[in-house]
Short mmCIF file of all heavy atoms in Angstrom, two decimals:
data_model
loop_
_atom_site.label_atom_id
_atom_site.label_comp_id
_atom_site.label_asym_id
_atom_site.label_seq_id
_atom_site.Cartn_x
_atom_site.Cartn_y
_atom_site.Cartn_z
N ARG G 9 140.82 40.57 -72.76
CA ARG G 9 140.07 39.45 -73.35
C ARG G 9 140.88 38.98 -74.54
O ARG G 9 141.26 39.65 -75.42
CB ARG G 9 138.65 39.85 -73.79
CG ARG G 9 137.86 40.52 -72.75
CD ARG G 9 136.65 41.10 -73.37
NE ARG G 9 136.99 41.96 -74.50
CZ ARG G 9 137.31 43.29 -74.36
NH1 ARG G 9 137.38 43.79 -73.21
NH2 ARG G 9 137.63 43.97 -75.47
N ILE G 11 143.67 37.72 -75.03
CA ILE G 11 145.07 37.80 -75.21
C ILE G 11 145.64 36.82 -74.19
O ILE G 11 145.43 36.90 -73.01
CB ILE G 11 145.57 39.20 -74.78
CG1 ILE G 11 144.89 40.26 -75.65
CG2 ILE G 11 147.13 39.32 -74.97
CD1 ILE G 11 145.10 40.14 -77.08
N VAL G 14 149.61 37.63 -71.38
CA VAL G 14 150.26 38.83 -71.60
C VAL G 14 151.18 39.17 -70.38
O VAL G 14 150.72 39.25 -69.32
CB VAL G 14 149.28 39.95 -71.79
CG1 VAL G 14 150.01 41.29 -71.94
CG2 VAL G 14 148.42 39.70 -73.03
N PRO G 15 152.49 39.24 -70.64
CA PRO G 15 153.35 39.54 -69.49
C PRO G 15 153.17 41.01 -69.10
O PRO G 15 153.27 41.91 -69.89
CB PRO G 15 154.74 39.31 -70.03
CG PRO G 15 154.69 39.38 -71.51
CD PRO G 15 153.23 39.10 -71.84
N ILE G 17 154.37 44.20 -67.90
CA ILE G 17 155.71 44.69 -67.74
C ILE G 17 155.71 45.83 -66.69
O ILE G 17 155.28 46.90 -66.89
CB ILE G 17 156.20 45.20 -69.08
CG1 ILE G 17 156.23 43.97 -69.99
CG2 ILE G 17 157.60 45.75 -68.96
CD1 ILE G 17 156.46 44.27 -71.40
N VAL G 18 156.08 45.42 -65.48
CA VAL G 18 156.10 46.41 -64.43
C VAL G 18 157.50 46.61 -63.88
O VAL G 18 157.83 47.55 -63.27
CB VAL G 18 155.10 46.02 -63.28
CG1 VAL G 18 153.71 46.05 -63.80
CG2 VAL G 18 155.42 44.61 -62.82
N ILE G 21 161.35 49.62 -64.24
CA ILE G 21 161.21 51.07 -64.36
C ILE G 21 161.73 51.64 -63.06
O ILE G 21 161.16 51.57 -62.01
CB ILE G 21 159.76 51.50 -64.59
CG1 ILE G 21 159.38 50.93 -66.00
CG2 ILE G 21 159.70 53.02 -64.72
CD1 ILE G 21 157.90 50.91 -66.22
N GLU G 26 163.08 58.62 -62.16
CA GLU G 26 162.01 59.60 -61.98
C GLU G 26 162.48 60.90 -61.32
O GLU G 26 162.03 61.96 -61.56
CB GLU G 26 160.92 58.98 -61.14
CG GLU G 26 160.28 57.74 -61.68
CD GLU G 26 159.09 58.12 -62.47
OE1 GLU G 26 157.99 58.28 -61.85
OE2 GLU G 26 159.14 58.39 -63.66
N ARG G 198 160.55 63.80 -87.25
CA ARG G 198 160.39 62.65 -86.38
C ARG G 198 159.06 61.99 -86.69
O ARG G 198 158.06 62.58 -87.10
CB ARG G 198 160.45 63.10 -84.96
CG ARG G 198 161.82 63.72 -84.57
CD ARG G 198 162.86 62.64 -84.53
NE ARG G 198 162.56 61.75 -83.41
CZ ARG G 198 163.10 61.89 -82.16
NH1 ARG G 198 164.04 62.82 -81.97
NH2 ARG G 198 162.85 61.10 -81.21
N GLU G 199 159.05 60.67 -86.44
CA GLU G 199 157.90 59.90 -86.84
C GLU G 199 156.66 60.19 -85.93
O GLU G 199 155.56 59.91 -86.36
CB GLU G 199 158.21 58.44 -86.79
CG GLU G 199 159.02 58.13 -88.06
CD GLU G 199 159.56 56.64 -88.11
OE1 GLU G 199 159.71 56.05 -87.02
OE2 GLU G 199 159.81 56.15 -89.19
N PHE G 200 156.91 60.71 -84.76
CA PHE G 200 155.69 60.97 -83.94
C PHE G 200 154.86 62.11 -84.57
O PHE G 200 153.68 62.19 -84.34
CB PHE G 200 156.00 61.25 -82.49
CG PHE G 200 156.83 62.47 -82.17
CD1 PHE G 200 156.27 63.73 -82.22
CD2 PHE G 200 158.18 62.35 -81.85
CE1 PHE G 200 157.04 64.92 -81.97
CE2 PHE G 200 158.94 63.45 -81.57
CZ PHE G 200 158.43 64.70 -81.64
N THR G 202 154.51 62.34 -87.90
CA THR G 202 153.76 61.60 -88.91
C THR G 202 152.58 60.88 -88.24
O THR G 202 151.52 60.86 -88.71
CB THR G 202 154.66 60.59 -89.58
OG1 THR G 202 155.91 61.20 -89.91
CG2 THR G 202 154.02 60.07 -90.89
N ALA G 203 152.88 60.31 -87.04
CA ALA G 203 151.86 59.61 -86.35
C ALA G 203 150.71 60.55 -85.99
O ALA G 203 149.50 60.16 -86.11
CB ALA G 203 152.45 58.95 -85.04
N LYS G 205 149.86 63.20 -87.60
CA LYS G 205 149.12 63.54 -88.83
C LYS G 205 148.17 62.39 -89.19
O LYS G 205 147.02 62.60 -89.59
CB LYS G 205 150.05 63.73 -90.03
CG LYS G 205 150.78 65.04 -89.99
CD LYS G 205 151.67 65.17 -91.23
CE LYS G 205 152.59 66.37 -91.11
NZ LYS G 205 153.76 66.26 -92.07
N ALA G 206 148.70 61.16 -88.97
CA ALA G 206 147.85 60.02 -89.30
C ALA G 206 146.62 59.94 -88.45
O ALA G 206 145.63 59.31 -88.80
CB ALA G 206 148.66 58.71 -89.16
N GLN G 207 146.68 60.54 -87.27
CA GLN G 207 145.49 60.54 -86.41
C GLN G 207 144.59 61.68 -86.68
O GLN G 207 143.60 61.86 -85.98
CB GLN G 207 145.91 60.50 -84.96
CG GLN G 207 146.41 59.11 -84.62
CD GLN G 207 146.95 59.00 -83.22
OE1 GLN G 207 147.73 59.88 -82.81
NE2 GLN G 207 146.61 57.98 -82.50
N GLY G 208 144.92 62.47 -87.67
CA GLY G 208 144.07 63.61 -88.05
C GLY G 208 144.37 64.89 -87.30
O GLY G 208 143.44 65.76 -87.25
N ALA G 209 145.49 64.99 -86.67
CA ALA G 209 145.79 66.27 -85.98
C ALA G 209 145.98 67.37 -86.95
O ALA G 209 146.48 67.18 -88.05
CB ALA G 209 147.09 66.08 -85.17
N THR G 210 145.50 68.56 -86.62
CA THR G 210 145.68 69.75 -87.48
C THR G 210 147.09 70.23 -87.31
O THR G 210 147.79 69.90 -86.41
CB THR G 210 144.69 70.81 -87.01
OG1 THR G 210 144.97 71.10 -85.61
CG2 THR G 210 143.24 70.42 -87.21
N ARG G 213 147.79 71.99 -84.02
CA ARG G 213 147.93 71.05 -82.94
C ARG G 213 149.39 70.38 -82.96
O ARG G 213 150.01 70.25 -81.96
CB ARG G 213 146.89 69.96 -83.02
CG ARG G 213 146.84 69.06 -81.79
CD ARG G 213 145.80 67.96 -81.95
NE ARG G 213 145.91 67.08 -80.82
CZ ARG G 213 145.17 67.12 -79.71
NH1 ARG G 213 144.26 68.00 -79.62
NH2 ARG G 213 145.36 66.27 -78.75
N ARG G 217 151.50 71.36 -79.89
CA ARG G 217 151.47 70.30 -78.90
C ARG G 217 152.55 69.22 -79.10
O ARG G 217 152.94 68.61 -78.15
CB ARG G 217 150.09 69.64 -78.87
CG ARG G 217 149.00 70.58 -78.51
CD ARG G 217 147.75 70.01 -78.09
NE ARG G 217 147.90 69.16 -76.94
CZ ARG G 217 146.89 68.69 -76.24
NH1 ARG G 217 145.70 69.04 -76.60
NH2 ARG G 217 147.11 67.89 -75.22
N GLU G 218 152.95 69.04 -80.35
CA GLU G 218 153.95 67.99 -80.57
C GLU G 218 155.35 68.54 -80.68
O GLU G 218 156.29 68.08 -80.10
CB GLU G 218 153.63 67.19 -81.86
CG GLU G 218 152.28 66.45 -81.82
CD GLU G 218 152.27 65.28 -80.93
OE1 GLU G 218 153.33 64.77 -80.50
OE2 GLU G 218 151.15 64.84 -80.53
N PRO G 221 156.80 71.87 -77.53
CA PRO G 221 157.40 71.43 -76.27
C PRO G 221 158.83 70.88 -76.41
O PRO G 221 159.68 71.07 -75.52
CB PRO G 221 156.47 70.29 -75.79
CG PRO G 221 155.22 70.54 -76.48
CD PRO G 221 155.54 71.10 -77.79
N ASN G 222 159.13 70.32 -77.54
CA ASN G 222 160.49 69.83 -77.81
C ASN G 222 161.48 70.95 -78.15
O ASN G 222 162.72 70.75 -77.95
CB ASN G 222 160.48 68.76 -78.92
CG ASN G 222 159.85 67.45 -78.43
OD1 ASN G 222 160.39 66.81 -77.53
ND2 ASN G 222 158.69 67.12 -78.94
N PRO G 225 163.18 74.02 -74.87
CA PRO G 225 164.50 74.12 -74.21
C PRO G 225 165.50 74.98 -75.01
O PRO G 225 166.20 75.77 -74.43
CB PRO G 225 164.95 72.68 -74.02
CG PRO G 225 163.71 71.88 -74.05
CD PRO G 225 162.78 72.61 -75.00
N PHE G 302 167.09 70.24 -69.16
CA PHE G 302 165.78 69.88 -69.86
C PHE G 302 166.00 69.09 -71.08
O PHE G 302 165.09 68.79 -71.79
CB PHE G 302 164.97 71.14 -70.09
CG PHE G 302 164.46 71.75 -68.84
CD1 PHE G 302 165.12 72.85 -68.28
CD2 PHE G 302 163.34 71.23 -68.24
CE1 PHE G 302 164.67 73.38 -67.12
CE2 PHE G 302 162.86 71.80 -67.04
CZ PHE G 302 163.54 72.86 -66.51
N ARG G 305 166.26 62.76 -71.95
CA ARG G 305 166.87 61.50 -72.43
C ARG G 305 165.81 60.82 -73.26
O ARG G 305 164.64 60.79 -72.90
CB ARG G 305 167.21 60.63 -71.26
CG ARG G 305 168.39 61.24 -70.47
CD ARG G 305 168.67 60.38 -69.27
NE ARG G 305 168.86 59.03 -69.80
CZ ARG G 305 168.75 57.98 -68.92
NH1 ARG G 305 168.39 58.15 -67.69
NH2 ARG G 305 168.95 56.75 -69.35
N GLU G 306 166.28 60.33 -74.37
CA GLU G 306 165.25 59.72 -75.26
C GLU G 306 165.13 58.19 -75.04
O GLU G 306 164.19 57.57 -75.36
CB GLU G 306 165.63 60.01 -76.73
CG GLU G 306 165.55 61.44 -76.95
CD GLU G 306 165.15 61.82 -78.33
OE1 GLU G 306 165.05 60.89 -79.15
OE2 GLU G 306 164.94 62.97 -78.59
N SER G 307 166.10 57.64 -74.43
CA SER G 307 166.05 56.18 -74.22
C SER G 307 166.91 55.81 -73.05
O SER G 307 167.97 56.37 -72.87
CB SER G 307 166.52 55.43 -75.41
OG SER G 307 166.74 54.11 -75.14
N ALA G 308 166.42 54.80 -72.31
CA ALA G 308 167.23 54.40 -71.22
C ALA G 308 168.40 53.53 -71.79
O ALA G 308 168.24 52.91 -72.85
CB ALA G 308 166.44 53.54 -70.22
N MET M 68 148.77 56.22 -96.89
CA MET M 68 148.38 57.18 -95.87
C MET M 68 148.23 58.57 -96.26
O MET M 68 147.88 59.44 -95.54
CB MET M 68 149.32 57.14 -94.62
CG MET M 68 149.63 55.88 -93.98
SD MET M 68 148.35 55.41 -92.87
CE MET M 68 148.31 56.76 -91.76
N LEU M 70 150.75 60.45 -96.84
CA LEU M 70 151.78 61.18 -96.07
C LEU M 70 153.16 61.02 -96.68
O LEU M 70 153.92 60.22 -96.19
CB LEU M 70 151.85 60.65 -94.60
CG LEU M 70 150.66 61.08 -93.73
CD1 LEU M 70 150.72 60.21 -92.44
CD2 LEU M 70 150.60 62.47 -93.39
N ARG M 94 141.49 64.26 -93.05
CA ARG M 94 141.88 64.08 -91.60
C ARG M 94 140.89 63.05 -91.01
O ARG M 94 141.32 62.21 -90.28
CB ARG M 94 141.71 65.39 -90.89
CG ARG M 94 142.82 66.36 -91.19
CD ARG M 94 142.99 67.36 -90.04
NE ARG M 94 141.84 68.08 -89.74
CZ ARG M 94 141.27 68.16 -88.52
NH1 ARG M 94 141.83 67.56 -87.50
NH2 ARG M 94 140.21 68.91 -88.28
N ARG M 97 141.74 59.43 -92.18
CA ARG M 97 142.98 58.96 -91.69
C ARG M 97 142.85 58.19 -90.35
O ARG M 97 143.65 57.34 -90.06
CB ARG M 97 143.92 60.08 -91.46
CG ARG M 97 144.75 60.39 -92.74
CD ARG M 97 145.79 61.47 -92.44
NE ARG M 97 146.45 61.81 -93.67
CZ ARG M 97 147.05 63.02 -93.84
NH1 ARG M 97 146.97 63.90 -92.89
NH2 ARG M 97 147.62 63.28 -94.96
N THR M 98 141.85 58.49 -89.59
CA THR M 98 141.67 57.82 -88.32
C THR M 98 141.33 56.34 -88.62
O THR M 98 141.54 55.48 -87.72
CB THR M 98 140.56 58.40 -87.49
OG1 THR M 98 139.36 58.36 -88.25
CG2 THR M 98 140.85 59.80 -87.10
N GLN M 101 145.84 53.58 -89.69
CA GLN M 101 146.89 53.97 -88.72
C GLN M 101 148.19 53.38 -89.04
O GLN M 101 148.26 52.45 -89.89
CB GLN M 101 146.53 53.60 -87.31
CG GLN M 101 145.39 54.50 -86.72
CD GLN M 101 145.82 55.90 -86.60
OE1 GLN M 101 146.84 56.21 -85.97
NE2 GLN M 101 145.08 56.83 -87.25
N PHE M 104 155.50 52.49 -86.62
CA PHE M 104 156.79 52.85 -87.28
C PHE M 104 157.89 51.92 -86.85
O PHE M 104 157.79 51.24 -85.84
CB PHE M 104 157.10 54.32 -86.95
CG PHE M 104 156.09 55.27 -87.48
CD1 PHE M 104 155.09 55.68 -86.61
CD2 PHE M 104 156.15 55.77 -88.75
CE1 PHE M 104 154.09 56.53 -87.03
CE2 PHE M 104 155.13 56.61 -89.21
CZ PHE M 104 154.18 57.05 -88.32
N SER M 109 161.85 57.26 -82.07
CA SER M 109 161.48 58.43 -82.82
C SER M 109 160.00 58.59 -82.99
O SER M 109 159.48 59.66 -83.19
CB SER M 109 162.11 58.34 -84.30
OG SER M 109 161.63 59.24 -85.13
N SER M 110 159.29 57.47 -82.87
CA SER M 110 157.86 57.57 -83.13
C SER M 110 157.07 57.99 -81.93
O SER M 110 155.84 58.13 -81.95
CB SER M 110 157.28 56.25 -83.66
OG SER M 110 157.55 55.25 -82.77
N LEU M 111 157.67 58.18 -80.78
CA LEU M 111 156.96 58.68 -79.58
C LEU M 111 157.57 60.03 -79.19
O LEU M 111 158.79 60.21 -79.11
CB LEU M 111 157.12 57.67 -78.41
CG LEU M 111 156.59 56.24 -78.68
CD1 LEU M 111 156.90 55.36 -77.47
CD2 LEU M 111 155.12 56.26 -78.99
N ASN M 112 156.70 60.98 -78.84
CA ASN M 112 157.09 62.27 -78.49
C ASN M 112 157.75 62.26 -77.06
O ASN M 112 157.05 61.93 -76.12
CB ASN M 112 155.94 63.27 -78.49
CG ASN M 112 156.36 64.67 -78.37
OD1 ASN M 112 157.41 64.98 -77.81
ND2 ASN M 112 155.50 65.61 -78.81
N PRO M 113 159.05 62.58 -76.99
CA PRO M 113 159.73 62.38 -75.71
C PRO M 113 159.21 63.32 -74.57
O PRO M 113 159.42 63.08 -73.44
CB PRO M 113 161.18 62.72 -76.03
CG PRO M 113 161.18 63.55 -77.29
CD PRO M 113 159.99 63.05 -78.07
N ARG M 114 158.49 64.38 -74.98
CA ARG M 114 158.01 65.33 -73.99
C ARG M 114 156.65 65.02 -73.42
O ARG M 114 156.17 65.71 -72.53
CB ARG M 114 157.93 66.71 -74.65
CG ARG M 114 159.22 67.38 -74.89
CD ARG M 114 159.53 68.50 -73.97
NE ARG M 114 160.94 68.76 -73.93
CZ ARG M 114 161.66 68.75 -72.83
NH1 ARG M 114 161.09 68.61 -71.70
NH2 ARG M 114 162.93 68.95 -72.90
N ARG M 115 156.00 63.96 -73.99
CA ARG M 115 154.65 63.75 -73.56
C ARG M 115 154.60 62.45 -72.74
O ARG M 115 155.35 61.53 -72.96
CB ARG M 115 153.72 63.74 -74.76
CG ARG M 115 153.86 64.99 -75.63
CD ARG M 115 152.82 65.05 -76.61
NE ARG M 115 151.55 65.40 -76.01
CZ ARG M 115 150.40 65.50 -76.70
NH1 ARG M 115 150.42 65.16 -77.94
NH2 ARG M 115 149.26 65.81 -76.12
N GLU M 123 146.01 60.50 -77.79
CA GLU M 123 146.06 61.56 -78.77
C GLU M 123 144.85 61.43 -79.79
O GLU M 123 144.15 62.38 -80.04
CB GLU M 123 147.38 61.55 -79.47
CG GLU M 123 147.52 62.58 -80.61
CD GLU M 123 147.84 63.96 -80.09
OE1 GLU M 123 147.89 64.13 -78.91
OE2 GLU M 123 148.00 64.87 -80.93
N GLY M 124 144.72 60.23 -80.39
CA GLY M 124 143.68 60.06 -81.40
C GLY M 124 142.31 60.37 -80.83
O GLY M 124 141.51 60.93 -81.61
N ASP M 126 141.64 62.38 -78.23
CA ASP M 126 141.59 63.80 -77.90
C ASP M 126 141.31 64.66 -79.09
O ASP M 126 140.59 65.57 -79.03
CB ASP M 126 142.95 64.22 -77.27
CG ASP M 126 143.07 63.78 -75.84
OD1 ASP M 126 142.08 63.37 -75.25
OD2 ASP M 126 144.21 63.88 -75.27
N ILE M 127 141.96 64.29 -80.17
CA ILE M 127 141.83 65.15 -81.41
C ILE M 127 140.34 65.18 -81.84
O ILE M 127 139.82 66.20 -82.18
CB ILE M 127 142.65 64.56 -82.50
CG1 ILE M 127 144.20 64.78 -82.24
CG2 ILE M 127 142.31 65.21 -83.87
CD1 ILE M 127 145.10 64.04 -83.20
N TRP M 128 139.73 64.03 -81.75
CA TRP M 128 138.36 63.96 -82.22
C TRP M 128 137.33 64.04 -81.06
O TRP M 128 136.15 63.83 -81.24
CB TRP M 128 138.13 62.59 -82.97
CG TRP M 128 139.03 62.63 -84.19
CD1 TRP M 128 140.24 61.96 -84.29
CD2 TRP M 128 138.93 63.40 -85.39
NE1 TRP M 128 140.83 62.29 -85.52
CE2 TRP M 128 139.98 63.12 -86.22
CE3 TRP M 128 137.86 64.24 -85.85
CZ2 TRP M 128 140.15 63.70 -87.44
CZ3 TRP M 128 138.07 64.80 -87.11
CH2 TRP M 128 139.22 64.55 -87.87
N GLY M 148 149.80 44.61 -72.88
CA GLY M 148 150.66 43.92 -71.91
C GLY M 148 151.42 44.89 -71.02
O GLY M 148 152.57 44.54 -70.55
N ASP M 150 151.28 47.53 -67.45
CA ASP M 150 150.50 47.89 -66.31
C ASP M 150 150.17 49.41 -66.42
O ASP M 150 151.06 50.21 -66.32
CB ASP M 150 151.32 47.58 -65.08
CG ASP M 150 150.47 47.93 -63.83
OD1 ASP M 150 149.48 48.62 -63.87
OD2 ASP M 150 150.86 47.44 -62.75
N VAL M 153 151.54 51.80 -63.71
CA VAL M 153 153.02 52.02 -63.78
C VAL M 153 153.35 52.87 -65.02
O VAL M 153 154.19 53.75 -64.96
CB VAL M 153 153.76 50.71 -63.81
CG1 VAL M 153 155.25 50.98 -63.89
CG2 VAL M 153 153.46 49.87 -62.60
N ARG M 157 154.44 57.86 -67.15
CA ARG M 157 155.88 58.01 -67.51
C ARG M 157 156.07 58.49 -68.93
O ARG M 157 155.16 58.51 -69.73
CB ARG M 157 156.56 56.63 -67.33
CG ARG M 157 156.69 56.28 -65.88
CD ARG M 157 157.51 54.98 -65.72
NE ARG M 157 158.08 54.92 -64.41
CZ ARG M 157 157.41 54.54 -63.32
NH1 ARG M 157 156.14 54.19 -63.39
NH2 ARG M 157 158.00 54.47 -62.09
N PHE M 160 161.22 57.71 -72.68
CA PHE M 160 162.59 57.34 -72.48
C PHE M 160 162.78 56.29 -71.38
O PHE M 160 163.82 55.65 -71.23
CB PHE M 160 163.52 58.52 -72.25
CG PHE M 160 163.40 59.15 -70.91
CD1 PHE M 160 164.17 58.69 -69.82
CD2 PHE M 160 162.59 60.24 -70.71
CE1 PHE M 160 164.08 59.22 -68.61
CE2 PHE M 160 162.49 60.80 -69.42
CZ PHE M 160 163.25 60.35 -68.39
N GLN M 161 161.81 56.11 -70.54
CA GLN M 161 161.84 55.21 -69.42
C GLN M 161 161.52 53.79 -69.88
O GLN M 161 161.53 52.87 -69.03
CB GLN M 161 160.97 55.67 -68.27
CG GLN M 161 161.50 56.93 -67.71
CD GLN M 161 160.48 57.53 -66.72
OE1 GLN M 161 159.31 57.77 -67.07
NE2 GLN M 161 160.87 57.88 -65.55
N GLN M 166 158.95 47.87 -75.37
CA GLN M 166 157.86 48.49 -74.62
C GLN M 166 157.36 49.70 -75.37
O GLN M 166 156.15 49.96 -75.45
CB GLN M 166 158.32 48.87 -73.22
CG GLN M 166 158.51 47.69 -72.34
CD GLN M 166 159.13 48.05 -70.97
OE1 GLN M 166 159.91 48.99 -70.90
NE2 GLN M 166 158.78 47.31 -69.95
N ARG M 169 155.10 48.62 -78.02
CA ARG M 169 153.80 48.26 -77.46
C ARG M 169 152.95 49.58 -77.29
O ARG M 169 151.74 49.58 -77.60
CB ARG M 169 153.89 47.59 -76.03
CG ARG M 169 154.43 46.18 -76.16
CD ARG M 169 154.67 45.70 -74.72
NE ARG M 169 155.45 44.45 -74.81
CZ ARG M 169 154.85 43.20 -74.81
NH1 ARG M 169 153.57 43.08 -74.73
NH2 ARG M 169 155.60 42.14 -74.94
N ARG M 174 148.61 53.19 -79.25
CA ARG M 174 148.23 54.42 -79.83
C ARG M 174 147.51 54.23 -81.21
O ARG M 174 146.50 54.89 -81.51
CB ARG M 174 149.47 55.29 -80.08
CG ARG M 174 149.15 56.55 -80.94
CD ARG M 174 150.36 57.41 -81.08
NE ARG M 174 151.37 56.76 -81.84
CZ ARG M 174 152.60 57.28 -82.02
NH1 ARG M 174 152.91 58.43 -81.54
NH2 ARG M 174 153.56 56.61 -82.71
N ASP M 206 147.64 38.99 -81.99
CA ASP M 206 146.55 39.03 -81.06
C ASP M 206 145.67 40.25 -81.26
O ASP M 206 144.42 40.13 -81.24
CB ASP M 206 147.10 39.12 -79.64
CG ASP M 206 147.81 37.83 -79.22
OD1 ASP M 206 147.55 36.75 -79.84
OD2 ASP M 206 148.69 37.88 -78.35
N GLN M 210 141.73 40.32 -82.08
CA GLN M 210 140.80 40.93 -81.14
C GLN M 210 140.01 42.11 -81.78
O GLN M 210 138.81 42.28 -81.53
CB GLN M 210 141.52 41.41 -79.92
CG GLN M 210 140.62 41.85 -78.82
CD GLN M 210 141.36 42.28 -77.58
OE1 GLN M 210 142.57 42.07 -77.42
NE2 GLN M 210 140.61 42.83 -76.63
#
Side-chain angles (χ1 to χ4, degrees):
Chain G
R9 305 168 310 273
I11 305 299
V14 175
I17 298 168
V18 293
I21 298 166
E26 298 266 277
R198 299 286 294 264
E199 284 175 336
F200 64 76
T202 316
K205 282 184 192 164
Q207 283 174 316
T210 55
R213 189 182 174 99
R217 300 197 58 166
E218 301 286 343
N222 287 294
F302 291 98
R305 290 178 54 202
E306 297 211 352
S307 164
Chain M
M68 302 281 303
L70 288 168
R94 288 206 300 127
R97 271 183 185 156
T98 57
Q101 286 295 306
F104 302 90
S109 169
S110 59
L111 301 176
N112 190 338
R114 288 251 160 234
R115 307 191 73 186
E123 180 77 358
D126 281 350
I127 291 171
W128 299 100
D150 183 344
V153 179
R157 291 187 156 79
F160 75 86
Q161 293 169 307
Q166 289 172 328
R169 287 173 193 266
R174 169 178 64 185
D206 293 338
Q210 189 177 352

